Amino acid sequence: MSKQQAVAEVFDSKLTPLGPGFSVQRAFPHARRRTVGPWCFFDYFGPARMDSTSAGVPPHPHIGIQTVTWLIEGESLHRDSLGTEQVIRTGELNVMTAGRGISHSEQPTPDTIMHGVQLWVALPPEAASMEPAFEYHARVPSTAIGHGIATVIAGSFAGQTSPARHHSPIVGVDLLFDSAGATEVPLDVDFEYAVVPLTGSFDWEGEALDKQRWLYLPPGSERVTLRTSAGARLMLVGGAPCDPIIIWWNFVARTSAELEAARADWVARRRFGVVEGWGATRLTAPQLTPNLVAR
Ligand code: MN
């Protein structure tokens, strides 16, 4: 649990450039809200057309997390150092477990519209050094709720359970509303949550939120009422509050020594294997930031 008593709060998302002509809307980490449950990274991208010169994201390493990729439109080729080659399309789910170390690349199919989210889940200390793994799910369950449809990509929600494997209490749901109105969303009292608008807007206790602003809910509530516009799409992610972590570049750990070792191993081409199809191309690790502190 966090040291301070958390309260419901609206946070800004930040438009963050990731490369030429490609920016993401980053909900968190936010300066005052680093994690929501074990979710420690929330990027929303697109809709953006990928031109034929777009190379995607070259091989780069991760430790200590799972990446969760969920596309609303478009398709992309995932490759990793386990030898995985998996095209992901709308409605399909990729969950990559970095554990002690993995490297991967993501290549949007040329001329497609890319639109979706990539999220990181911090592994708990007992799973942080596990062997890397990759899961692809062609289908995830969905169910009607209020004015919309809930698609369960992580954990259990409204009687449906995602097939994806996680290592701490967690939930992740795509909520798509086909008509305007108020919907009661059931919550787990032990979880904290983020409600992040992707398209359209919702109203929470008189505040209108769109993709530039998201809602944090602390543990302790059994439900939240969301008044949504027709066509609104929100992500609900949550879980039991996470112990302090350090995020640096693509690494998540509990100590700066772990980050330094991971950086050194990437530079020395140890631990993280090879992603086929890129030749010598890979992302270069930046210089380590001094004074990394877990929080
Ligand atoms: Mn990555």
Side-chain angles (χ1 to χ4, degrees):
M1 299 292 285
S2 58
K3 290 166 221 106
Q4 293 172 326
Q5 188 65 42
V7 295
E9 189 172 351
V10 174
F11 289 101
D12 289 336
S13 292
K14 194 172 173 187
L15 191 65
T16 306
L18 287 193
F22 191 70
S23 295
V24 299
Q25 198 78 34
R26 180 160 299 161
F28 56 86
H30 183 283
R32 289 180 296 109
R33 172 51 58 189
R34 315 293 299 177
T35 56
V36 178
W39 301 93
C40 61
F41 218 86
F42 190 116
D43 273 359
Y44 169 52
F45 50 86
R49 182 168 292 281
M50 295 293 107
D51 68 28
S52 49
T53 62
S54 167
V57 185
H60 60 280
H62 290 288
I63 61 166
I65 57 164
Q66 296 180 295
T67 61
V68 174
T69 307
W70 174 247
L71 297 183
I72 295 164
E73 299 173 80
E75 61 174 49
S76 186
L77 171 63
H78 164 95
R79 283 194 276 207
D80 64 40
S81 52
L82 300 172
T84 309
E85 278 201 30
Q86 180 65 57
V87 174
I88 181 175
R89 299 180 185 82
T90 305
E92 303 172 352
L93 178 67
N94 277 358
V95 178
M96 183 184 78
T97 303
R100 62 180 297 277
I102 199 168
S103 57
H104 77 125
S105 66
E106 304 292 341
Q107 289 170 280
T109 300
D111 298 319
T112 58
I113 302 281
M114 283 305 286
H115 187 196
V117 292
Q118 197 185 59
L119 314 173
W120 293 2
V121 178
L123 289 166
E126 65 274 17
S129 300
M130 66 182 285
E131 290 300 312
F134 178 82
E135 287 177 26
Y136 162 78
H137 299 287
R139 285 167 178 275
V140 288
S142 59
T143 188
I145 176 175
H147 289 263
I149 299 281
T151 303
V152 184
I153 64 170
S156 295
F157 179 84
Q160 303 292 319
T161 298
S162 166
R165 182 159 184 243
H166 294 286
H167 301 272
S168 51
I170 192 172
V171 71
V173 186
D174 175 327
L175 293 164
L176 179 60
F177 296 93
D178 52 17
S179 59
T183 294
E184 285 224 329
V185 176
L187 304 176
D188 184 321
V189 293
D190 295 326
F191 285 7
E192 56 183 356
Y193 290 91
V195 187
V196 185
L198 304 185
T199 57
S201 62
F202 76 94
D203 177 291
W204 170 74
E205 297 189 354
E207 275 210 75
L209 288 89
D210 62 15
K211 73 173 184 178
Q212 281 149 25
R213 303 200 314 150
W214 58 279
L215 173 64
Y216 169 80
L217 294 170
S221 297
E222 290 182 355
R223 65 189 68 83
V224 63
T225 302
L226 304 175
R227 294 169 198 283
T228 57
S229 60
R233 186 166 213 146
L234 321 177
M235 291 290 296
L236 174 75
V237 296
C242 159
D243 62 313
I245 54 169
I246 319 173
I247 303 180
W248 179 79
W249 193 41
N250 293 304
F251 302 141
V252 170
R254 267 83 190 171
T255 67
S256 53
E258 293 169 79
L259 301 177
E260 285 164 27
R263 183 187 184 281
D265 284 348
W266 177 247
V267 170
R269 298 174 188 268
R270 294 186 298 253
R271 192 196 313 197
F272 296 101
V274 170
V275 182
E276 297 296 335
W278 287 87
T281 303
R282 68 211 284 267
L283 291 190
T284 302
Q287 290 301 314
L288 261 177
T289 322
N291 304 321
L292 292 165
V293 179
R295 55 182 173 174

